[in-house]
Amino acid sequence: MLYIKCPWCGYRDDAEFHYGGEAHIKRPFDADSLSDEEFSEYLFQKSNTKGLTLERWVHTSGCRRWFNVLRNTVTNEIIEVYPSDQLPSSKAGKEYYKSNWRRKSAAERLTTRQIEK
Amino acid sequence: MKKPRSNFGMQGLRSEKEKYSIFSLARNAFTNHENWAQAWKSPEPKTEYDVIIIGGGGHGLATAYYLASQHGMKNVAVIDKGWLGGGNTGRNTTIIRSNYMWDESAGIYEHSLKLWENLSQELNFNTMFSQRGVLTLAHSEHELKEMNRRVEAIRLNGIDSDVLNPAQIKKLVPIININPNLRYPVMGGFIQRRGGTARHDAVAWGYARAADSLGVDIIQNCEVTGFNIKNGKVTGVQTANGTIKAGKVGCVVAGHAGVLAGLAGFRLPIDSRPLQALVSEPIKPILDTVIMSNSVHMYVSQSDKGEMVFGAGADSYNSYAQKGSLNIIEGMLAAAVELFPVFSRLRMLRSWGGIVDTCPDASPIISKTPIDNLYFNCGWGTGGFKATPGSGHVFADLIARNEPNSITAPFTLNRFVDGYLIDEHGAAGVAH
Ligand SMILES: Cc1cc2nc3c(=O)[nH]c(=O)nc-3n(C[C@H](O)[C@H](O)[C@H](O)COP(=O)(O)OP(=O)(O)OC[C@H]3O[C@@H](n4cnc5c(N)ncnc54)[C@H](O)[C@@H]3O)c2cc1C
Ligand SMILES: [Zn+2]
């Protein structure tokens, strides 16, 4: 049982929420320029980490808003809750974000390049 | 591919004395059952094996057994971080069936069901396989129509499957409530009479004993913490007890598949999630069929000890904590009590969780990997117990020949690149 602190409604039982899976997966703008392997990485491959993970939740039976969570998948401890358009601000969250394999994936590199342009 | 050879009475056992039979039972009764031989040894690991299987669940042990019995590979070790069968093999609700919709799934699950039918004989170990029938309920007009279509698809693959109406269901399962005023009324169902249950521990122990007697080393309490990889080829595994060299490595670790893939430097399309089950206090025989319902997500069977065994749904979030959320159990029990009002008086004894490895298309991965001589068998998610013999049999074939056969070929990791998915989400019965 998770006890999740919605940024707007406070602590609520996890039955009120829906899980949105891994956070910070960038959809490639120009998917045609990716190879099938690279697109598969974006579409199918999971981080599924044992330990810290960054994930999305939505408070379906409450305020219906999305937010992000830094959680430990072994202890289920929730370490940080932060807005869905931002990056984590805790040290552990920042480190996990930086070291995740997606930062080096072709899909993300392509998208980041395009946003910069 | 070699067909499984019937091995009545386990010629593989080291001596006639070790064979389980009415005679050995009588003989051992004279010595107060104090002289039974150990079912398997717990040897120190050798420095090198032809094949190392990571994961001593049913699938890993079966793989080792078939490597030894079908392919003559006897320098094999099974390594588990905990105790044998302590993963999902020992935590599941043991439902066995092969009524899946797609041809590819029919291929692997029916192959497995055929092996179940002779498994106790082959292993000389009573797996308590009971073909009591698996009945899946429909609760809406749409579900019933879809079920009829599915039953035809399943029959085209030569797998037994029959549609039943509510009166026939009531006759088969007298304690079920078929009142049409239920929120989710029983509108019909389909049954696979060859389906049923088996004793999960016995499956692990039977394969362990049979593999051991063919020379396989079973090493428990030894976590694999890394791979030795040279020029893109696996050469051994690092463990809590040191490095062990290996010609080939097969990885069958269910919920931990992603962790092991990470150690080998690649990723899987797998999420690890808690799945829960619970059992009641034992009662007199009351239910002799497995009942499942996809739409209210409830399934139940009665164990030989008399406990009602309930299976709940998987939690939506990833976790390795081997426990799930209470609301999942509450929802399942509400459905169970509506369908079986007599259950409202039952007390539950235990509940537990296991970490299941779910794939985007709800089908397993039995495949080569980006690393040569490293093979993965995973993604069985909420429903791999039924596949234990078949999965071990074809995985041994893949490892021995380094080539997929007609059953394993569709279950390649590459399907997530070429898009040839085998979508079994809800396509057959419930997800288990
Ligand atoms: C509650 C529940 C109910 C279920 N009900 C059904 C059902 O009714 N019917 C059905 O068909 N299926 C069911 N399943 C699914 C089924 O249990 C699994 O698909 C199947 O048992 C998987 O078997 P396995 O041998 O691959 O995995 P496991 O039995 O989990 O074995 C994997 C082993 O790998 C070991 N391991 C992990 N990491 C390492 C490491 N680093 N080093 C060494 N060893 C390691 C673990 O200790 C474990 O023993 C259910 C599962 C659960 C949890
Ligand atoms: Zn809220």
Side-chain angles (χ1 to χ4, degrees):
Chain A
M1 174 84 62
L2 305 183
Y3 207 39
I4 301 171
K5 187 174 181 185
C6 169
W8 290 277
C9 313
Y11 279 106
R12 309 296 305 167
D13 191 305
D14 73 352
E16 291 187 9
F17 298 84
H18 268 98
Y19 186 57
E22 203 178 319
H24 308 296
I25 302 179
K26 290 192 183 121
R27 189 186 164 90
F29 286 159
D30 184 12
D32 285 355
S33 64
L34 292 177
S35 70
D36 287 352
E37 279 81 6
E38 289 166 341
F39 193 70
S40 167
E41 260 191 345
Y42 153 72
L43 189 61
F44 287 123
Q45 309 305 332
K46 307 290 175 94
S47 293
N48 193 22
T49 39
K50 183 174 181 178
L52 294 184
T53 188
L54 297 172
E55 60 194 13
R56 306 160 72 223
W57 287 87
V58 58
H59 194 184
T60 326
S61 313
C63 61
R64 293 186 285 140
R65 290 202 236 188
W66 286 92
F67 55 93
N68 288 348
V69 166
L70 168 66
R71 183 171 59 97
N72 184 323
T73 59
V74 180
T75 59
N76 277 340
E77 183 195 0
I78 291 174
I79 299 150
E80 185 185 349
V81 173
Y82 60 98
S84 55
D85 61 347
Q86 289 175 27
L87 295 178
S89 58
S90 65
K91 187 163 169 273
K94 278 183 187 156
E95 271 168 22
Y96 177 80
Y97 176 82
K98 239 176 79 188
S99 63
N100 187 278
W101 62 276
R102 284 201 196 272
R103 306 294 87 78
K104 291 193 222 84
S105 71
E108 183 158 327
R109 270 187 286 135
L110 176 79
T111 309
T112 313
R113 242 190 348 260
Q114 279 162 340
I115 293 173
E116 278 162 4
K117 261 197 270 170
Chain B
M1 183 192 43
K2 276 198 214 154
K3 278 264 170 297
R5 173 163 23 98
S6 162
N7 199 2
F8 282 103
M10 276 294 305
Q11 285 84 354
L13 286 178
R14 278 185 302 270
S15 78
E16 188 61 19
K17 218 170 131 202
E18 290 173 23
K19 200 171 122 182
Y20 294 156
S21 69
I22 182 86
F23 303 109
S24 67
L25 194 62
R27 201 164 46 237
N28 280 283
F30 283 117
T31 50
N32 290 325
H33 298 286
E34 281 169 3
N35 294 335
W36 286 101
Q38 239 182 314
W40 59 85
K41 307 175 280 335
S42 291
E44 285 298 309
K46 295 185 212 162
T47 52
E48 183 165 4
Y49 290 94
D50 294 340
V51 183
I52 289 179
I53 302 296
I54 309 173
H59 289 227
L61 293 163
T63 305
Y65 167 71
Y66 292 115
L67 277 171
S69 69
Q70 303 285 309
H71 302 279
M73 302 185 75
K74 307 205 167 163
N75 186 23
V76 174
V78 178
I79 303 183
D80 199 287
K81 73 177 161 78
W83 67 95
L84 174 164
N88 293 345
T89 297
R91 294 166 187 269
N92 84 97
T93 49
T94 77
I95 291 159
I96 296 169
R97 57 187 182 85
S98 67
N99 52 0
Y100 283 70
M101 190 167 97
W102 299 109
D103 296 353
E104 293 85 353
S105 320
I108 177 75
Y109 291 107
E110 178 61 15
H111 178 58
S112 194
L113 184 52
K114 292 219 170 86
L115 289 170
W116 277 113
E117 288 174 334
N118 190 38
L119 195 63
S120 294
Q121 300 288 348
E122 166 152 7
L123 300 180
N124 177 238
F125 203 104
N126 187 0
T127 62
M128 296 166 77
F129 177 51
S130 155
Q131 291 178 296
R132 60 185 63 188
V134 175
L135 172 64
T136 306
L137 303 174
H139 301 278
S140 68
E141 206 53 66
H142 170 77
E143 208 181 357
L144 195 57
K145 281 189 182 141
E146 171 61 26
M147 200 171 263
N148 275 286
R149 178 181 103 84
R150 213 186 305 151
V151 161
E152 296 306 331
I154 293 166
R155 284 183 168 185
L156 284 175
N157 277 319
I159 296 170
D160 70 303
S161 199
D162 290 298
V163 176
L164 301 183
N165 64 33
Q168 291 168 311
I169 291 175
K170 183 74 185 169
K171 192 155 174 248
L172 186 71
V173 187
I175 60 170
I176 202 166
N177 182 2
I178 56 165
N179 185 332
N181 295 328
L182 288 186
R183 171 67 183 83
Y184 297 102
V186 175
M187 306 210 32
F190 83 112
I191 187 164
Q192 181 177 26
R193 295 181 209 275
R194 287 165 60 239
T197 56
R199 169 105 185 117
H200 46 19
D201 296 327
V203 175
W205 298 337
Y207 272 120
R209 171 170 169 267
D212 171 277
S213 71
L214 293 171
V216 171
D217 279 359
I218 294 168
I219 297 154
Q220 304 181 64
N221 297 311
C222 180
E223 179 164 358
V224 170
T225 53
F227 294 94
N228 286 351
I229 295 167
K230 217 170 168 181
N231 304 326
K233 187 169 155 184
V234 71
T235 59
V237 298
Q238 296 147 23
T239 78
N241 306 352
T243 298
I244 311 176
K245 285 194 230 160
K248 296 177 176 185
V249 177
C251 189
V252 211
V253 293
H256 279 77
V259 176
L260 272 287
L263 293 175
F266 60 95
R267 278 166 295 278
L268 293 172
I270 283 183
D271 281 312
S272 297
R273 301 200 164 148
L275 179 68
Q276 299 180 81
L278 52 159
V279 293
S280 73
E281 57 193 332
I283 54 173
K284 288 196 171 159
I286 191 175
L287 182 67
D288 61 1
T289 310
V290 179
I291 310 292
M292 10 182 52
S293 166
N294 215 356
S295 37
V296 298
H297 210 297
M298 184 269 348
Y299 63 100
V300 62
S301 65
Q302 187 167 24
S303 77
D304 291 347
K305 277 189 280 180
E307 305 151 325
M308 307 306 303
V309 183
F310 294 96
D315 274 289
S316 63
Y317 56 86
N318 292 26
S319 175
Y320 289 82
Q322 294 213 127
K323 58 186 173 204
S325 294
L326 186 66
N327 60 297
I328 305 279
I329 290 182
E330 284 175 337
M332 185 279 296
L333 284 177
V337 169
E338 187 169 67
L339 282 171
F340 301 97
V342 289
F343 289 171
S344 66
R345 309 261 196 94
L346 275 181
R347 276 164 301 189
M348 295 300 147
L349 281 190
R350 281 175 287 128
S351 77
W352 64 89
I355 298 305
V356 295
D357 41 341
T358 56
C359 246
D361 58 355
S363 287
I365 294 165
I366 314 170
S367 180
K368 294 187 184 184
T369 67
I371 311 293
D372 286 343
N373 292 1
L374 176 64
Y375 311 84
F376 264 62
N377 181 347
C378 57
W380 294 97
T382 58
F385 176 72
K386 63 178 76 68
T388 305
S391 157
H393 189 256
V394 298
F395 194 45
D397 189 70
L398 173 67
I399 294 173
R401 299 191 308 114
N402 193 35
E403 230 6 271
N405 63 31
S406 59
I407 293 180
T408 44
F411 296 102
T412 165
L413 198 45
N414 206 44
R415 73 178 186 270
F416 297 98
V417 175
D418 66 24
Y420 199 111
L421 302 188
I422 306 161
D423 183 5
E424 281 293 354
H425 267 292
V430 78
H432 309 281

